[in-house]
């Protein structure tokens, strides 16, 4: 496991590893409080995308990648676990809002919100459970095949590839458009930094 790897590689005690895991929990709890405020000022899908992108870096910091010449110091796993708490909040907290919004977009808007909330909770719980099951199996296979360092590095490459697919599919552009619309509080909002052409006949002065 990761805790055993940290103990053996950096020659630290189980107490030190326990403190590192405590940092993860503390950051996760704190981020859960502030993430909804960030969502209100931006977009649920944008926040979730930021979390996915940050997960690339924390995966490389969990087990400092020798392939990418990361320094082999315990500071990186320590920071990586703290960032993992942040990423967990950024990716998990927006899930319910995203599922409900997609439900309204795909189905009749007359559906009761409570019904969508219940279905969303079931979908999220099932997805997380499936992820825990498959993640354990796949990560175990990666570690057996490549070892901890290469396994984590290859997984970071996979997440980076997934992010590229998001932008190539047009989802990234849709997320940024949604972000601009929410910031302006209008479905069709012209960004403030872009020039606006005014018809002289419509001037009010």
């Amino acid at each position: 496991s990761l805790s055993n790897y940290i103990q053996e590689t950096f020659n630290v005690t189980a107490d030190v590893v326990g403190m590192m895991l405590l940092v993860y929990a503390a950051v996760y709890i704190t981020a859960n409080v502030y993430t909804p405020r960030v969502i209100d000022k931006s977009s649920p899908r944008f926040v979730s995308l930021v979390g996915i992108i940050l997960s690339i870096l924390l995966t490389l910091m969990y087990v400092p990648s020798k392939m990418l010449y990361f320094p082999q110091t315990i500071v990186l796993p320590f920071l990586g676990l703290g960032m993992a708490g942040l990423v967990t909040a950024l990716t998990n907290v927006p899930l319910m809002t995203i599922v409900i919004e997609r439900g309204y977009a795909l189905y009749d808007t007359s559906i009761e919100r409570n019904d969508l909330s219940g279905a969303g909770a079931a979908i999220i719980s099932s997805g997380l459970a499936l992820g825990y099951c498959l993640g354990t199996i796949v990560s175990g296979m990666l570690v057996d095949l490549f070892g901890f360092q290469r396994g984590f590095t290859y997984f970071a490459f996979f997440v980076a590839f997934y992010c590229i697919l998001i932008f190539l599919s047009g989802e990234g552009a849709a997320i940024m458009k949604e972000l601009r619309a929410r910031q302006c509080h209008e479905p069709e909002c012209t960004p403030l930094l872009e020039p606006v052409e005014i018809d002289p006949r419509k001037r009010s002065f």
Side-chain angles (χ1 to χ4, degrees):
S1 65
L2 179 62
S3 58
N4 292 334
Y5 175 84
I6 293 176
Q7 283 184 258
E8 295 172 1
T9 303
F10 300 103
N11 194 25
V12 296
T13 63
D15 294 338
V16 174
V17 178
M19 292 297 295
M20 294 172 66
L21 295 175
L22 181 61
V23 171
Y24 163 79
V27 174
Y28 181 37
I29 293 173
T30 304
N32 273 334
V33 175
Y34 291 99
T35 298
R37 303 181 185 181
V38 178
I39 293 174
D40 291 339
K41 295 182 178 180
S42 56
S43 159
R45 291 196 295 169
F46 175 76
V47 172
S48 182
L49 179 61
V50 170
I52 295 173
I53 294 174
L54 288 178
S55 69
I56 301 172
L57 179 59
L58 79 87
T59 303
L60 296 172
M61 294 172 64
Y62 264 149
V63 180
S65 175
K66 288 184 178 180
M67 292 178 59
L68 301 180
Y69 303 102
F70 277 51
Q72 303 301 302
T73 170
I74 196 173
V75 175
L76 289 183
F78 185 85
L79 295 176
L81 285 169
M83 187 179 294
L86 174 63
V87 167
T88 304
L90 293 178
T91 53
N92 288 354
V93 173
L95 283 179
M96 180 61 74
T97 303
I98 294 173
V99 170
I100 291 178
E101 288 183 352
R102 287 299 177 93
Y104 274 114
L106 295 175
Y107 302 103
D108 189 357
T109 55
S110 63
I111 297 176
E112 293 291 336
R113 186 177 181 85
N114 289 337
D115 295 337
L116 284 177
S117 298
I123 293 172
I124 292 171
S125 298
S126 300
L128 290 176
L130 182 62
Y132 289 142
C133 293
L134 295 180
T136 303
I137 296 172
V138 173
S139 62
M141 293 173 58
L142 287 175
V143 171
D144 289 339
L145 288 173
F146 307 110
F148 254 88
Q149 286 192 336
R150 286 186 177 272
F152 271 73
T153 301
Y154 290 153
F155 182 74
F157 291 162
F158 171 78
V159 178
F161 177 71
Y162 174 71
C163 291
I164 293 173
L165 289 181
I166 290 178
F167 285 97
L168 291 179
S169 66
E171 185 70 10
I175 291 174
M176 298 309 297
K177 182 178 179 180
E178 178 187 9
L179 175 63
R180 289 194 297 267
R182 281 176 172 265
Q183 288 178 337
C184 297
H185 304 288
E186 295 179 5
E188 298 294 336
C189 175
T190 303
L192 295 179
L193 296 181
E194 293 185 2
V196 179
E197 295 183 2
I198 301 177
D199 188 343
R201 294 172 297 177
K202 296 182 179 180
R203 293 181 183 272
S204 58
F205 54 89

